[in-house]
Structures are given as C-alpha cells and as structure tokens.
Amino acid sequence: MPDGDSFAGGTYPCPPEEKLKRVKGYAVVTYEFDDEFPITYSDEEIYDYIENNINDYKETYVSIEDITIEEE
C-alpha cells in the first residue's frame, strides 16, 4: 500500500471537481382547477381568488408549458 493511504479513518481521495455552468430562466406553468364559487361572484372576483390562492390547488394538475433557459 502506498504511503498516505489508509483504510481505517484516514484520508480518502477527493473526487475531481465537476465543471458547472450557471443558467437562469423561467418556466410557464399551467394549473388546472375545478372549483365552485357563489353565483354572485363576478369573473374578476373569481380571477382574483384563483390568482391569490393558486397554491391551494392540487399539484397533480400542474403541467409545464414552456421552459426558457438563458446562459450567463
């Protein structure tokens, strides 16, 4: 065994560092919803409710429509 090698709590070879690149971007996501609202709600009130409570809808209905990646 070469000097410096140890099997009992000693040194271990470090894996080579992987070269990385940074990317930024955005994803366009569609949430499908099925909900009931009082008959007195206007379309604007329904829109506002859904927009403010989108995280309450089940994630199983989420689909990614588009992904854009911009490299730095």
Side-chain angles (χ1 to χ4, degrees), residues 13-34:
C14 293
E17 284 192 32
E18 185 176 348
K19 292 185 179 187
L20 305 174
K21 66 178 178 180
R22 178 172 305 281
V23 296
K24 290 184 178 183
Y26 57 90
V28 177
V29 180
T30 297
Y31 283 80
E32 182 180 321
F33 59 89
D34 183 8

Side-chain angles (χ1 to χ4, degrees), residues 7-61:
F7 292 109
T11 60
Y12 292 94
C14 293
E17 284 192 32
E18 185 176 348
K19 292 185 179 187
L20 305 174
K21 66 178 178 180
R22 178 172 305 281
V23 296
K24 290 184 178 183
Y26 57 90
V28 177
V29 180
T30 297
Y31 283 80
E32 182 180 321
F33 59 89
D34 183 8
D35 211 339
E36 293 182 337
F37 296 91
I39 196 94
T40 57
Y41 273 35
S42 68
D43 287 350
E44 185 176 333
E45 289 172 311
I46 294 171
Y47 178 91
D48 288 342
Y49 177 86
I50 293 169
E51 183 177 32
N52 293 319
N53 296 286
I54 195 68
N55 292 328
D56 293 344
Y57 292 100
K58 293 181 181 177
E59 292 183 8
T60 55
Y61 298 118

